[in-house]
Amino acid sequence: MRTTVGIIGAGPAGLLLARLLHRAGIDSVVLESRDRAYVEQRQRAGILEQGTVDVLREAGAGERMDREGLRHDGIELRFDRRRHRVDFPGLTGGRSVTVYAQTEVCKDLIALQLAEGGPLLFEADALAVEGADGDRPRVPFRYQGREDVLECDYVVGCDGFWGVARKAFPAAASQVFERTYPYAWLGILADVAPSHDELVYARHDRGFALLSMRSPSVSRLYLQVPAGTEAGQWSDEEIWAELDRRLETDDGWWLERGPITQKSVTPMRSFVHEPMRHGRLFLAGDAAHIVPPTGAKGLNLAVGDVVTFARALAHERRTGSPELLDAYSATCLRRIWQAERFSYDMTTMLHGAPDATAFDARLQRARLERVSSSRAAETDLAEAYTGFPLE
């Protein structure tokens, strides 16, 4: 099998890249190890930055998002039983975010790819990336019980942290930066209307809590728990009681309860692999970087990566110049490290570490007081949350 761009992984990064390349007249083949049902049901991020929303619309993948997604013009910070709203449009010149689950983004992009795009092979296991430092990289893969080879001009690894793409980088040419946090998020989906119309980030002495949503009738909520916690360790009643404590305010607000339909635990870590290119192999999304979910950056960073690659390859095809492809890693990493910084700042401002002292707690409150009393500090948060520019 032969194509211009071999894409490993049919998460939002791989699917969007295939769509962008198709719109630019560049052929691709997508290899996905899981079946279609798994990809369309995999629960992940749900906050789309303004730039991500714009890209999906431009790619012709925004119709259902615009109809069913929930535009949010701010978030609420809670601490010491007080509430402070951050007004995104007023601080950023009109930018906002949209609540639209990654599962729905994938469904939309899969439908478009199968209807209009190049081959999208589910249950196709990429086994390796070979010859990345030459002119014709190859991806051996297993599909429908037999082995085949995908020959490409370029390979883009959108196959996550454990995928084969990152493993194809020479160790001597790679540098890894990472941090593991001593806490995790216990997340639930509940069949109850959200108790607030925007996301609520709460700092509490007992730990962080987040009130989010998947739709007008389904709530998504999170509790900070110790790293290594299993979802089954918490009963439904214990979860709701702890959410009540951490989200409580002095103005009479209360949390609506409903049947919990799903529980999961999300580890918290930061990770960056440099560089993001080796020869004709490029990394995108979780294959190159991971952020703690506090800043809502994971999916949006992946979008930034594939937009950068698609623009660079289109530029090379149009002008003959590899300048933008050569700059791919540096261009992406500038945005990635700003997102890592923001995610780290949000995480450490709102979560209590197991060894935190009274001094640490007072610093957290001081940081929250600064955001809630300084327009400059509040603007910095709003600009980062709604998204760094796609260069």
Coordinates of all heavy atoms in Angstrom, one line a residue, residues 47 71-78 83-89 97 99 194-201 210-213 253 385:
I47 N -13.4 20.0 26.5 CA -13.3 21.4 26.3 C -12.5 21.8 25.1 O -11.4 21.4 24.9 CB -12.6 22.1 27.5 CG1 -13.3 21.7 28.8 CG2 -12.7 23.6 27.4 CD1 -14.8 22.1 29.0
R71 N -21.4 26.5 24.2 CA -20.5 27.6 24.3 C -20.4 28.1 25.8 O -21.4 28.4 26.4 CB -20.9 28.7 23.4 CG -20.0 30.0 23.6 CD -20.3 31.1 22.7 NE -19.8 32.4 23.1 CZ -19.2 33.3 22.3 NH1 -19.1 33.1 21.0 NH2 -18.7 34.4 22.8
H72 N -19.2 28.3 26.3 CA -19.0 28.8 27.6 C -18.1 30.1 27.5 O -17.1 30.1 26.9 CB -18.2 27.8 28.5 CG -19.1 26.7 29.0 ND1 -18.8 26.0 30.1 CD2 -20.3 26.3 28.6 CE1 -19.8 25.1 30.3 NE2 -20.7 25.3 29.4
D73 N -18.6 31.1 28.1 CA -17.9 32.4 28.1 C -17.2 32.7 29.4 O -16.7 33.8 29.6 CB -19.0 33.5 27.9 CG -19.5 33.6 26.5 OD1 -18.8 33.1 25.6 OD2 -20.6 34.1 26.2
G74 N -17.0 31.7 30.2 CA -16.2 31.9 31.4 C -16.1 30.6 32.2 O -16.7 29.6 31.9
I75 N -15.3 30.7 33.3 CA -15.3 29.7 34.3 C -15.5 30.3 35.7 O -15.3 31.6 35.8 CB -14.0 28.9 34.3 CG1 -12.8 29.8 34.5 CG2 -13.8 28.0 33.0 CD1 -11.4 29.1 34.7
E76 N -15.7 29.5 36.7 CA -15.8 30.0 38.0 C -14.8 29.4 38.9 O -14.5 28.2 38.9 CB -17.2 29.7 38.6 CG -17.4 30.3 40.0 CD -18.9 30.2 40.4 OE1 -19.7 30.9 39.9 OE2 -19.1 29.3 41.3
L77 N -14.1 30.2 39.6 CA -13.1 29.8 40.6 C -13.7 29.9 42.0 O -14.3 30.9 42.4 CB -11.8 30.7 40.6 CG -11.0 30.7 39.3 CD1 -9.9 31.7 39.4 CD2 -10.5 29.3 38.9
R78 N -13.6 28.8 42.8 CA -14.1 28.8 44.2 C -13.0 28.5 45.2 O -12.2 27.6 45.0 CB -15.2 27.8 44.3 CG -16.5 28.1 43.6 CD -17.6 27.2 43.9 NE -18.8 27.5 43.0 CZ -19.9 26.8 43.1 NH1 -20.1 25.9 44.0 NH2 -20.9 27.1 42.3
R83 N -17.0 32.7 45.4 CA -17.1 32.5 44.0 C -16.5 33.7 43.2 O -16.8 34.8 43.6 CB -18.5 32.2 43.6 CG -19.2 31.1 44.4 CD -20.7 31.2 44.3 NE -21.1 30.8 42.9 CZ -22.4 30.7 42.6 NH1 -23.4 30.9 43.4 NH2 -22.7 30.4 41.3
H84 N -15.7 33.4 42.2 CA -15.2 34.4 41.3 C -15.3 34.0 39.9 O -14.8 32.9 39.5 CB -13.8 34.8 41.6 CG -13.2 35.8 40.7 ND1 -13.6 37.2 40.7 CD2 -12.4 35.7 39.6 CE1 -13.0 37.8 39.7 NE2 -12.3 36.9 39.0
R85 N -16.0 34.7 39.0 CA -16.2 34.3 37.6 C -15.1 35.0 36.8 O -14.9 36.2 36.9 CB -17.6 34.7 37.1 CG -17.8 34.3 35.7 CD -19.2 34.6 35.2 NE -19.4 34.1 33.8 CZ -19.2 34.9 32.7 NH1 -18.8 36.1 32.8 NH2 -19.4 34.4 31.5
V86 N -14.5 34.3 35.9 CA -13.6 34.8 34.9 C -14.3 35.0 33.6 O -14.8 34.0 33.0 CB -12.4 33.9 34.8 CG1 -11.4 34.5 33.7 CG2 -11.7 33.7 36.1
D87 N -14.4 36.2 33.1 CA -15.2 36.5 31.9 C -14.3 36.4 30.7 O -13.5 37.3 30.4 CB -15.8 37.9 32.0 CG -16.5 38.4 30.8 OD1 -16.8 37.6 29.9 OD2 -16.7 39.6 30.7
F88 N -14.4 35.3 29.9 CA -13.4 35.1 28.8 C -13.6 36.2 27.7 O -12.6 36.8 27.3 CB -13.6 33.7 28.2 CG -13.2 32.6 29.1 CD1 -13.7 31.3 28.9 CD2 -12.3 32.8 30.1 CE1 -13.3 30.3 29.7 CE2 -11.8 31.8 30.9 CZ -12.3 30.5 30.7
P89 N -14.8 36.4 27.1 CA -14.9 37.4 26.0 C -14.4 38.8 26.4 O -13.8 39.5 25.7 CB -16.3 37.4 25.6 CG -16.8 36.0 26.1 CD -16.1 35.7 27.3
V97 N -14.8 29.2 24.9 CA -14.5 27.8 24.7 C -15.9 27.1 24.5 O -16.9 27.6 24.7 CB -13.8 27.1 25.9 CG1 -12.5 27.8 26.1 CG2 -14.7 27.2 27.2
V99 N -18.0 23.3 25.1 CA -18.0 21.9 25.7 C -18.6 21.0 24.6 O -19.8 21.1 24.3 CB -18.9 21.9 27.0 CG1 -19.0 20.5 27.5 CG2 -18.3 22.8 28.0
P194 N -26.5 19.8 34.9 CA -25.4 20.5 35.6 C -25.9 21.5 36.6 O -26.9 22.2 36.3 CB -24.6 21.2 34.5 CG -24.9 20.4 33.3 CD -26.3 19.9 33.4
S195 N -25.3 21.6 37.7 CA -25.7 22.6 38.8 C -25.2 24.0 38.6 O -25.5 24.9 39.4 CB -25.3 22.0 40.1 OG -25.8 20.8 40.4
H196 N -24.5 24.2 37.5 CA -24.0 25.5 37.1 C -23.9 25.5 35.6 O -23.6 24.5 35.0 CB -22.7 25.9 37.8 CG -22.3 27.3 37.8 ND1 -21.6 27.9 36.8 CD2 -22.6 28.3 38.7 CE1 -21.5 29.2 37.1 NE2 -22.1 29.5 38.2
D197 N -24.0 26.7 35.0 CA -24.0 26.7 33.6 C -22.6 26.9 33.0 O -22.4 27.0 31.8 CB -24.9 27.8 33.0 CG -24.6 29.2 33.6 OD1 -23.7 29.3 34.4 OD2 -25.4 30.2 33.3
E198 N -21.6 27.0 33.8 CA -20.2 27.1 33.4 C -19.4 26.2 34.3 O -19.8 25.8 35.4 CB -19.7 28.5 33.4 CG -20.3 29.4 32.4 CD -19.9 30.8 32.5 OE1 -19.4 31.3 33.5 OE2 -20.0 31.5 31.5
L199 N -18.1 25.9 33.9 CA -17.3 25.0 34.7 C -16.9 25.7 36.0 O -16.6 26.9 36.0 CB -16.0 24.6 33.9 CG -16.1 23.4 33.1 CD1 -17.0 23.6 31.9 CD2 -14.7 23.0 32.6
V200 N -16.8 24.9 37.1 CA -16.4 25.4 38.4 C -15.2 24.7 38.8 O -15.2 23.5 39.0 CB -17.6 25.2 39.4 CG1 -17.1 25.7 40.8 CG2 -18.8 26.0 39.0
Y201 N -14.1 25.5 39.1 CA -12.9 24.9 39.6 C -12.8 25.3 41.1 O -12.7 26.5 41.4 CB -11.7 25.5 38.9 CG -11.5 25.0 37.5 CD1 -12.3 25.5 36.4 CD2 -10.5 24.1 37.2 CE1 -12.2 25.0 35.1 CE2 -10.4 23.6 35.9 CZ -11.2 24.1 34.9 OH -11.0 23.6 33.6
L210 N -14.0 19.7 40.6 CA -14.4 20.3 39.3 C -15.8 19.9 39.0 O -16.2 18.7 39.0 CB -13.4 19.9 38.2 CG -13.8 20.3 36.8 CD1 -13.8 21.8 36.7 CD2 -12.8 19.7 35.8
L211 N -16.6 20.9 38.7 CA -18.0 20.7 38.2 C -17.9 21.0 36.7 O -17.6 22.1 36.3 CB -19.0 21.6 38.9 CG -20.5 21.4 38.6 CD1 -21.3 22.0 39.7 CD2 -20.9 22.1 37.3
S212 N -18.2 20.0 35.9 CA -18.3 20.2 34.4 C -19.5 19.5 33.9 O -20.4 19.1 34.7 CB -17.0 19.5 33.8 OG -17.0 19.7 32.4
M213 N -19.6 19.3 32.6 CA -20.8 18.7 32.0 C -20.5 18.1 30.6 O -19.5 18.5 30.0 CB -21.9 19.8 31.9 CG -21.6 20.9 30.9 SD -20.6 22.2 31.6 CE -21.6 22.8 32.9
W253 N -25.9 28.4 47.2 CA -25.8 27.4 46.0 C -25.8 26.0 46.5 O -25.2 25.7 47.6 CB -24.5 27.8 45.2 CG -24.3 26.9 44.1 CD1 -24.7 27.1 42.8 CD2 -23.6 25.6 44.1 NE1 -24.3 26.1 42.0 CE2 -23.6 25.1 42.7 CE3 -23.0 24.8 45.0 CZ2 -23.0 23.9 42.3 CZ3 -22.4 23.6 44.7 CH2 -22.4 23.2 43.3
Y385 N -6.5 29.9 28.9 CA -7.6 28.9 28.9 C -8.3 28.8 27.5 O -8.6 27.7 27.0 CB -8.6 29.2 30.0 CG -9.5 28.1 30.4 CD1 -9.2 27.3 31.5 CD2 -10.6 27.7 29.6 CE1 -10.0 26.2 31.9 CE2 -11.4 26.7 30.0 CZ -11.1 25.9 31.1 OH -11.9 24.8 31.4

